[in-house]
């Protein structure tokens, strides 16, 4: 082919390609116009707010002496009102007014922009979110174009940074007077005025069914020492409530655990598996069946929430609050549950997610859970005794995990920092022997000696404890132990019963002698 022909072929190809792009673009425009525009796509909304911002909102009154408030209109007002808060939160965090004009009229925009300019001049950034709204309709115009309402006791959390460094944080309860106008089919805020009488929130009352006094736990005012075990079915570790959920297996295992004279199990609720902010009813049902089986066999339960969760940012708080609210309100009167364990080993996220982010999320999640459930204790499953010294004034029960041979020193060090009950929530060593540890002797005998020694400590110091775990496992998710074979294989062999159903020497010390 000559050079002239090649050039001609290239020109023909480019012409066809450009025509195809134009036709595709026109079809997209026609499709958009025919289906109707979504506000999130035509306005400056960076992310779909329904996925990232779900504060608790409850209208205390929608009565109006003039025109009645239609349900659909109320729904639209609420959506645009919360979107306005969400966009304002983003604007204050980024010090950028982008998107404000879509939810605020000019006069309100001016005030918000002035605040942003001031923060920029002072090198301040504010991370903020609202956790609760209680609006009450004051007036709804006869033409349906204007609404005023009072948003009472708005719970706001703010975190202030200067030059990128954390300065302080605060939680306030404020009342806002709001006017919204219907413009171009959308509700925009015309006035947003805050009362001056804001106040810090009051402390929340303690537990009722499960309580603590000094370093002891009480259930219905009767002293209770936890002697338990962390539980997963042998065939479905880290997927207990999945497609292979089997009540017959769980029932059999719980009877076995109860017959061993253990009194408590610890189980895990995975944030994403349970539906994130919108908890799946079928998952709640499976959790309820599991707790009912524990009750059948006289076992108490510690439920660990937010397994495999790892965001912690202020912008994610309202989603995690809705998740926790759905679960704890469902079980708030359940007397089989002892405690909500907010998160398993959150200190392992300090480095990648930021210690401040993790600790503040835990602190406010504790408040959120106690707001909905005062019957059960709150704890956090720290990975070691040093991390467990965090937030001791926030939790009811101080929990830590122990996987080494230095218990007395670790326990004594933690005991010096708190007068609250202490739970050794996980402890154990693997009976793992391979090319990676050829010179470790008989690992099964070493495991048995470890558990014998630990039970001696628990008796000596009268410590609540829960071993890890009943069974050896054949499969370990990489998200649990990584991809390195020496780590994953070691994680498979912490059980008292091997993969073939045989009791290992350590089984003799699964309970105190």
């Amino acid at each position: 082919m000559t050079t002239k022909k090649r050039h001609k072929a290239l020109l023909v190809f480019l012409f066809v390609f450009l025509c195809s792009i134009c036709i595709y673009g026109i079809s997209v425009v026609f499709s958009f116009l025919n289906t109707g525009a979504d506000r999130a796509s035509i306005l400056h909304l960076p992310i779909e707010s329904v996925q990232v911002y779900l504060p608790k909102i409850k209208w205390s009154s929608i009565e109006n002496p003039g025109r009645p408030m239609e349900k659909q209109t109320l729904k639209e007002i609420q959506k645009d009102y919360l979107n306005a808060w969400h966009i304002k939160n983003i604007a204050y965090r980024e010090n950028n007014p982008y998107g404000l004009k879509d939810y605020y009229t000019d006069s309100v925009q001016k005030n918000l922009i002035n605040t942003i300019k001031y923060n920029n001049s002072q090198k301040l950034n504010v991370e903020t979110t609202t956790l609760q709204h209680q609006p009450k309709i004051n007036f709804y115009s006869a033409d349906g174009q204007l609404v005023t309402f009072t948003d009472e006791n708005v719970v706001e959390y703010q975190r202030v940074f200067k030059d990128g460094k954390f300065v302080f944080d605060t939680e306030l309860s404020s009342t806002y007077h709001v006017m919204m106008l219907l413009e171009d089919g959308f509700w925009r805020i015309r006035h947003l005025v805050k009362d001056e009488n804001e106040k810090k929130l009051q402390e929340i009352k303690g537990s009722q069914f499960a309580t603590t006094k000094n370093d002891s736990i009480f259930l219905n005012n009767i002293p209770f020492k936890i002697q338990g075990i962390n539980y997963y079915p042998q065939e479905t570790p880290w997927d207990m409530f999945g497609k292979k959920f089997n009540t017959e297996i769980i029932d059999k295992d719980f009877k076995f655990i109860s017959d061993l004279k253990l009194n408590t199990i610890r189980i895990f609720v995975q944030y994403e598996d349970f539906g994130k902010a919108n908890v799946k009813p079928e998952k709640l049902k499976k959790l309820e069946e599991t707790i009912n089986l524990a009750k059948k066999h006289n076992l108490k339960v510690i439920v660990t929430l937010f397994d495999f969760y790892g965001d912690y940012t202020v912008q994610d708080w309202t989603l995690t609050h809705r998740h926790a609210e759905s679960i704890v309100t469902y079980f708030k009167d359940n007397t089989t549950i002892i405690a909500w364990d907010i998160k398993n080993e959150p200190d392992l996220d300090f480095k990648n997610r930021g210690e401040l982010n993790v600790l503040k999320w835990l602190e406010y999640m504790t408040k959120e859970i106690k707001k909905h459930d005062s019957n059960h204790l709150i704890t956090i499953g720290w990975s070691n005794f040093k991390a467990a010294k965090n937030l001791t004034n926030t939790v009811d029960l101080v929990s830590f995990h122990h996987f080494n041979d230095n218990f007395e020193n670790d326990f004594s060090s933690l005991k010096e920092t708190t007068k609250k009950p202490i739970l050794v929530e996980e402890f154990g060593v693997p009976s793992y022997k391979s090319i990676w540890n050829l010179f470790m002797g008989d690992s099964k005998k070493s495991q048995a000696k470890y558990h014998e020694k630990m039970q001696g400590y628990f008796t000596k110091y009268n410590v609540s404890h829960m071993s890890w775990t009943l069974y050896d496992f054949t499969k370990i998710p990489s998200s649990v132990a990584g991809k390195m074979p020496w780590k994953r294989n070691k994680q498979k062999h912490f059980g008292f019963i091997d993969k073939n159903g045989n009791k290992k020497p350590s089984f003799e010390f699964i309970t105190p002698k």
Side-chain angles (χ1 to χ4, degrees), residues 345-361:
E345 301 186 343
D347 51 297
L348 299 185
D349 292 328
F350 280 177
K351 182 177 181 181
N352 293 328
R353 298 298 184 179
E355 184 172 347
L356 174 67
N357 282 338
V358 176
L359 290 176
K360 288 300 179 182
W361 179 85

Side-chain angles (χ1 to χ4, degrees), residues 29 91 96 206 209 269 313 364 387:
V29 171
N96 189 330
F209 158 65
V269 169
T313 59
Y364 278 84

Side-chain angles (χ1 to χ4, degrees), residues 145-210:
Q145 304 292 305
L146 180 149
V147 64
T148 66
F149 55 89
T150 302
D151 196 355
E152 300 175 335
N153 301 319
V154 178
V155 179
E156 298 178 78
Y157 172 76
Q158 297 179 350
R159 185 183 297 169
V160 179
F161 295 83
K162 185 176 179 60
D163 291 322
K165 296 181 180 179
F166 172 74
V167 180
F168 70 91
D169 67 340
T170 186
E171 182 182 11
L172 299 171
S173 177
S174 309
T175 294
Y176 286 85
H177 302 283
V178 187
M179 176 189 290
M180 299 186 75
L181 301 177
L182 184 62
E183 298 179 347
D184 303 323
F186 301 113
W187 290 92
R188 288 179 171 86
I189 293 180
R190 177 68 177 82
H191 291 293
L192 184 67
V193 181
K194 180 166 67 171
D195 277 353
E196 295 299 325
N197 60 339
E198 63 185 14
K199 56 183 182 300
K200 291 189 176 181
L201 296 182
Q202 299 297 316
E203 293 294 324
I204 300 164
K205 294 181 180 180
S207 303
Q208 296 173 350
F209 158 65

Side-chain angles (χ1 to χ4, degrees), residues 329-388:
T329 54
Y330 192 91
F331 294 102
K332 65 184 179 66
D333 296 319
N334 191 294
T335 56
T336 301
I337 297 173
I338 297 177
W340 300 109
D341 176 7
I342 296 179
K343 182 77 173 70
N344 185 61
E345 301 186 343
D347 51 297
L348 299 185
D349 292 328
F350 280 177
K351 182 177 181 181
N352 293 328
R353 298 298 184 179
E355 184 172 347
L356 174 67
N357 282 338
V358 176
L359 290 176
K360 288 300 179 182
W361 179 85
L362 290 166
E363 180 182 349
Y364 278 84
M365 182 54 68
T366 299
K367 294 181 180 180
E368 181 67 17
I369 290 176
K370 283 191 171 294
K371 186 192 304 179
H372 301 293
D373 177 7
S374 62
N375 286 323
H376 301 107
L377 303 178
I378 299 288
T379 192
I380 300 170
W382 301 104
S383 73
N384 59 70
F385 79 98
K386 291 182 179 178

Side-chain angles (χ1 to χ4, degrees), residues 259-289:
D259 289 345
L260 292 171
K261 305 304 180 185
L262 294 172
N263 60 23
T264 309
I265 58 164
R266 178 177 177 233
I267 55 178
F268 301 80
V269 169
Q270 295 178 13
Y271 179 61
E272 186 170 349
D273 179 53
F274 267 64
K276 298 183 179 179
N278 300 304
V279 175
K280 301 172 184 177
E282 63 270 22
K283 295 293 182 177
L284 279 177
K285 183 65 176 176
K286 289 179 179 180
L287 180 58
E288 184 176 32
E289 290 181 62

